[in-house]
Amino acid sequence: MKTILIIEDEHDLAELVAFNLEKEGYRPLIALDGTAGLEAARRNLPDLILLDLMLPGIMGTELCKLLKNHEKTAAIPVIMLTAKGEEIDRVVGFEVGVDDYIVKPFSSRELLLRIKAVLRRTIPDRAGEKLLRIGPLTIDTDRHLVNVEDEEIILTTTEFKLLLNLAERTGRVQSRDLLLKNVWGYNYIGDTRTVDTHITRLRTKLGIAGDLIKTIRGFGYKLEES
C-alpha cells in the first residue's frame, strides 16, 4: 500500500482527497499547514506528496525546496495543487522541483490518473546493465544513484528519469515531445518548456557533467561524451 501525504489547508478538500485515495487502495495522510507537512514528510517518507501552493506556516514553493534539498525526501515525487494556473506559476513550480501541477478545481479522476502516472515513473532494475558510465558521470540504475567524479548527486525522481532516458540513448537526439512522453508518462497538459526547465536544473546539479547534455536548437536534447 503506497502512502500519499496531502499537505492542504482546506480541511474539507483534504478529507475529500483522502477519501478518494483510500477507495483506490492508497494510505492517505493529512497535514493542514506547511510546518506540519514538512514534519510529516520527514517522519513518514511517503511515496508521493500532494502539496498546496498557498499554505500557512511555510509556502508550498518554499516547502518543496526544503523537501528536494534534503537527502531523505529529495526523491519523493511532488504534485502541486493550486488555484493559480498561469504559465509563470507552473514554471516556478517546476523550477523548485515539482513533478506535476494540477489546477483547482480538479476532478477526482484527473487527480488519480496524475498520481498513477507519476508513480509509474519508477525505474525497473535491469539485470546485466546496472551501471552506465559517460565521462565523469556514473548512473547506478539498480540503486537509482548518480555520481559525478565519485560525488553523489541528489536528484528528484523526474530528474533521474530524464537523465536516464538521455543516457540510455547516448548520442541520439531526443525531441522535447518524446521526452515529455517517455519521462512524464502521459500526454502532458502544457508546453515543452517543462522539459527545458528540468534540463536547466539537471545541468546545474550535475556540475561539470552538465556539459554532457547538448541542446539541439529548435528540436530537443542529447547526452554525448565530449
Side-chain angles (χ1 to χ4, degrees):
M1 181 180 291
K2 294 189 180 298
T3 299
I4 298 180
L5 173 60
I6 306 159
I7 308 177
E8 166 65 63
D9 65 328
E10 295 182 39
H11 185 268
D12 290 345
L13 176 58
E15 289 288 351
L16 177 61
V17 171
F19 173 75
N20 285 302
L21 290 176
E22 205 163 22
K23 283 202 305 182
E24 289 294 312
Y26 298 109
R27 174 177 173 254
L29 303 174
I30 294 176
L32 298 175
D33 62 63
T35 303
L38 181 60
E39 293 173 356
R42 290 177 174 174
R43 182 174 62 253
N44 296 282
L45 298 178
D47 296 285
L48 183 141
I49 295 173
L50 299 176
L51 177 62
D52 187 26
L53 178 62
M54 306 299 290
L55 286 170
I58 305 174
M59 285 286 290
T61 49
E62 184 61 29
L63 177 52
C64 190
K65 287 181 186 178
L66 293 171
L67 292 169
K68 295 300 181 180
N69 289 325
H70 193 279
E71 183 178 357
K72 286 188 175 181
T73 55
I76 300 174
V78 176
I79 298 179
M80 186 77 82
L81 307 178
T82 176
K84 302 177 70 175
E86 298 298 322
E87 178 183 332
I88 184 62
D89 299 311
R90 293 197 299 272
V91 170
V92 168
F94 288 126
E95 284 179 344
V96 298
V98 168
D99 295 271
D100 203 350
Y101 199 104
I102 304 180
V103 178
K104 300 175 182 178
F106 51 82
S107 69
S108 297
R109 177 174 172 76
E110 179 189 7
L111 177 61
L112 291 170
L113 287 173
R114 295 289 188 99
I115 289 171
K116 289 177 181 177
V118 171
L119 290 175
R120 277 200 303 268
R121 294 175 195 169
T122 302
I123 315 298
D125 295 340
R126 299 174 304 160
E129 194 182 356
K130 293 183 178 181
L131 291 179
L132 296 176
R133 292 188 176 93
I134 305 100
L137 175 67
T138 302
I139 304 172
D140 187 330
T141 63
D142 188 37
R143 299 167 60 202
H144 295 189
L145 296 177
V146 174
N147 287 273
V148 175
E149 293 189 334
D150 296 324
E151 179 183 349
E152 184 177 350
I153 308 299
I154 304 300
L155 301 180
T156 67
T157 303
T158 301
E159 289 164 352
F160 182 86
K161 182 75 176 287
L162 178 58
L163 177 62
L164 184 59
N165 195 272
L166 291 168
E168 288 177 327
R169 298 162 180 81
T170 298
R172 292 161 52 190
V173 180
Q174 306 294 302
S175 71
R176 290 174 173 84
D177 287 331
L178 184 59
L179 286 169
L180 276 176
K181 179 181 178 181
N182 289 341
V183 176
W184 276 258
Y186 60 95
N187 293 324
Y188 179 72
I189 302 172
D191 59 43
T192 53
R193 276 173 288 188
T194 298
V195 177
D196 298 334
T197 300
H198 279 78
I199 288 287
T200 299
R201 287 174 51 84
L202 190 54
R203 280 173 169 157
T204 299
K205 288 188 175 184
L206 291 177
I208 61 171
D211 293 337
L212 297 173
I213 303 176
K214 313 295 185 184
T215 300
I216 309 304
R217 193 172 299 278
F219 187 75
Y221 299 93
K222 67 176 178 178
L223 195 147
E224 186 173 70
E225 187 171 358
S226 301

